[in-house]
Amino acid sequence: MVYRRTHQVVKRLAARRSAILAAARDAAAEGGMAAVQIAPVAVRANVAAGTVYRYFPSKAELISELIAEVSRDELAAIRRAADAAPGPSSALAAAVTTVAVHVLSQRKLAWGILAEPVDVDVSVSRLANRREISGEIAARIDAAVRAGHLPAQDTALAATALLGALHEALVGPLAPENLDDPARLRDAVQTVTLLALRAVGVMDARARGLVVQAVLPAKALVGA
Amino acid sequence: MVYRRTHQVVKRLAARRSAILAAARDAAAEGGMAAVQIAPVAVRANVAAGTVYRYFPSKAELISELIAEVSRDELAAIRRAADAAPGPSSALAAAVTTVAVHVLSQRKLAWGILAEPVDVDVSVSRLANRREISGEIAARIDAAVRAGHLPAQDTALAATALLGALHEALVGPLAPENLDDPARLRDAVQTVTLLALRAVGVMDARARGLVVQAVLPAKALVGA
DNA sequence: ATCAGCCCTGAATAGTTGTTCACTTCTTCA
DNA sequence: TGAAGAAGTGAACAACTATTCAGGGCTGAT
């Protein structure tokens, strides 16, 4: 053989792969999953349509990786926030707030990742990622239950319901309008977090305190 | 003119229109909105593809009417259940339970109507219908607030969050599996209703009582 | 410098599905 | 019964996009 991949080439290939993924992400953030089409993505990434297929075997695979990437980031943020909290209830509040803030910071992208149309192959991948996030929330609820802060309950169902409430209230089509205004945004996050905590059984008064605690550190993320 | 529509013909036309809508509804119930394609719907309705266009100017229009029809039924059911309740809190509980039961009785259809892909024209219609249902729930929350049963809150946001929680927990991809089993189904409805009531500020103990009250009459609907 | 082998290109292909329309069939009424 | 007009048909058309592939260009060892 008279050709072998040089380190430089390997790096360029990796960069190109990232560029394609980033282009897909941008497209999704702008126009939802429907806007993630091979030709436009290729243009954004400065490659030809055919090149995309040298990096991803199919569009479904590309979208799956995109979803996995975004979900990974979100899960890590949730864990970080929750682990930094002083107790199980605070951790739950922090987790919920983190989801709310994340989802708000990229509404269109979140919508695409969470709910928009996709074919079956993608659904499988998406489902796995959502399960992980839901599982994380469920674990936090469970911890609070075991600590005696919450009544016993079906934590998996509760976690799913909480995520549904957050998503619908914040990024769904019925979500409030002016969420670009930081003050409104904070209000929305607080309101929804309060609802979520009460839903799993935190007393109203206590919930209000937890919300305030949780929203403070989360503010830093809003810019991100 | 030597031709005028006879009463019989008018009736036949109306029947055909209904048949097409029903075919679309069936298709959606079986395979989601993606399965609502002109050709298959036409076959189900025993007409040719072209005939569909004599009754609906476009696919978007057909789907919009389908959504409107289903939403109208749901809204009526919610109002009926809530109005029959003895007080504002019971009414809210009844409304929530009704949504839960309805959504469960036609999961695929509900999913399609609520969340699945559709083009812009349809989104507008869908949005209007969801707004109505959300508004109805908001009104019920508001009534309970005014009666002093609940803390003051952003009722519109709360209503949206509740609907999101219900949908995600009951028909979303993370929903529990064996909801065909009636016992499980009732458990799920109860659990989710409890979460919803607590979310808006009903005390745990009182919420449990309301749930039991609300689920009894709603049982009748499950078969429907 | 040279050439084997890989990467990239983008026009062509193929599959899907909404929509149209020339034609047929049916309904009404003189 | 016959003609006017409406309703129904379904094959053809059109638009959109994922995917392919034959050929051009670049990279790296000799």
Side-chain angles (χ1 to χ4, degrees):
Chain A
M1 72 188 98
V2 292
Y3 178 95
R4 204 177 310 171
R5 270 188 192 167
T6 245
H7 176 62
Q8 186 186 6
V9 171
V10 169
K11 256 190 8 190
R12 194 195 60 204
L13 293 185
R16 207 148 242 197
R17 188 189 159 86
S18 296
I20 294 171
L21 261 177
R25 190 170 179 157
D26 290 351
E30 265 179 36
M33 279 302 174
V36 183
Q37 294 169 2
I38 299 296
V41 165
V43 169
R44 269 182 206 262
N46 282 314
V47 298
T51 304
V52 173
Y53 285 86
R54 296 193 59 79
Y55 292 88
F56 301 91
S58 70
K59 184 188 167 183
E61 197 75 18
L62 169 61
I63 291 186
S64 289
E65 289 224 19
L66 168 60
I67 290 177
E69 189 187 71
V70 173
S71 299
R72 206 160 38 235
D73 291 352
E74 183 166 12
L75 185 58
I78 293 170
R79 289 201 170 126
R80 217 180 306 124
D83 288 339
S89 293
S90 298
L92 177 57
V96 168
T97 305
T98 303
V99 172
V101 169
H102 257 240
V103 140
L104 277 171
S105 69
Q106 293 279 6
R107 298 218 277 158
K108 273 251 176 77
L109 179 59
W111 176 249
I113 301 251
L114 291 167
E116 236 182 307
V118 277
D119 53 355
V120 187
D121 306 324
V122 174
S123 304
V124 173
S125 144
R126 161 151 81 186
L127 188 52
N129 288 289
R130 292 189 75 177
R131 238 191 258 287
E132 275 196 296
I133 290 178
S134 178
E136 183 66 24
I137 302 288
R140 302 296 175 174
I141 296 174
D142 201 49
V145 169
R146 275 184 283 115
H149 296 177
L150 298 181
Q153 57 194 291
D154 180 339
T155 54
L157 196 63
T160 303
L162 289 200
L163 288 176
L166 292 181
H167 297 153
E168 189 70 34
L170 298 176
V171 310
L174 292 181
E177 297 296 320
N178 297 0
L179 288 180
D180 305 315
D181 173 4
R184 254 177 207 287
L185 192 149
R186 198 192 53 228
D187 280 357
V189 171
Q190 286 194 340
T191 302
V192 172
T193 305
L194 179 60
L195 282 167
L197 292 179
R198 284 195 306 222
V200 293
V202 179
M203 289 294 197
D204 189 46
R206 177 158 169 66
R208 287 171 194 274
L210 288 170
V211 167
V212 173
Q213 297 290 321
V215 170
L216 291 179
K219 283 293 86 188
L221 296 172
V222 177
Chain B
M1 75 189 95
V2 291
Y3 177 98
R4 204 177 312 172
R5 271 189 192 166
T6 248
H7 177 61
Q8 186 187 6
V9 171
V10 170
K11 256 189 10 190
R12 195 194 61 201
L13 293 186
R16 207 149 242 200
R17 189 189 158 84
S18 297
I20 293 170
L21 262 178
R25 190 168 179 159
D26 290 350
E30 265 179 37
M33 280 303 175
V36 182
Q37 293 169 3
I38 299 297
V41 165
V43 169
R44 269 182 204 262
N46 283 314
V47 298
T51 303
V52 173
Y53 285 86
R54 296 190 61 80
Y55 291 88
F56 301 92
S58 70
K59 183 188 167 183
E61 198 73 21
L62 169 61
I63 291 186
S64 288
E65 289 224 19
L66 168 60
I67 291 177
E69 189 187 70
V70 173
S71 298
R72 206 162 35 236
D73 291 352
E74 183 166 12
L75 186 58
I78 293 170
R79 289 201 170 126
R80 217 179 308 124
D83 287 339
S89 294
S90 297
L92 177 57
V96 169
T97 305
T98 303
V99 172
V101 169
H102 257 240
V103 139
L104 277 171
S105 69
Q106 293 280 5
R107 298 218 277 159
K108 273 252 176 76
L109 179 60
W111 175 250
I113 298 233
L114 291 166
E116 237 182 306
V118 278
D119 52 358
V120 187
D121 306 323
V122 174
S123 304
V124 172
S125 144
R126 159 150 83 188
L127 188 52
N129 288 289
R130 292 189 74 174
R131 238 190 258 287
E132 274 195 297
I133 290 178
S134 178
E136 183 65 25
I137 302 288
R140 302 296 174 173
I141 296 174
D142 202 49
V145 169
R146 276 184 282 115
H149 296 177
L150 297 181
Q153 58 194 291
D154 180 339
T155 54
L157 195 63
T160 303
L162 290 201
L163 288 176
L166 292 181
H167 297 153
E168 189 71 35
L170 297 177
V171 309
L174 293 181
E177 298 296 320
N178 297 0
L179 288 181
D180 305 315
D181 172 7
R184 255 179 206 285
L185 192 149
R186 199 192 53 226
D187 280 357
V189 170
Q190 287 194 338
T191 302
V192 172
T193 305
L194 179 60
L195 281 166
L197 292 178
R198 284 195 308 222
V200 293
V202 180
M203 289 292 196
D204 189 46
R206 176 159 169 65
R208 288 173 194 273
L210 288 171
V211 168
V212 173
Q213 297 292 320
V215 169
L216 291 180
K219 282 294 85 187
L221 296 172
V222 177

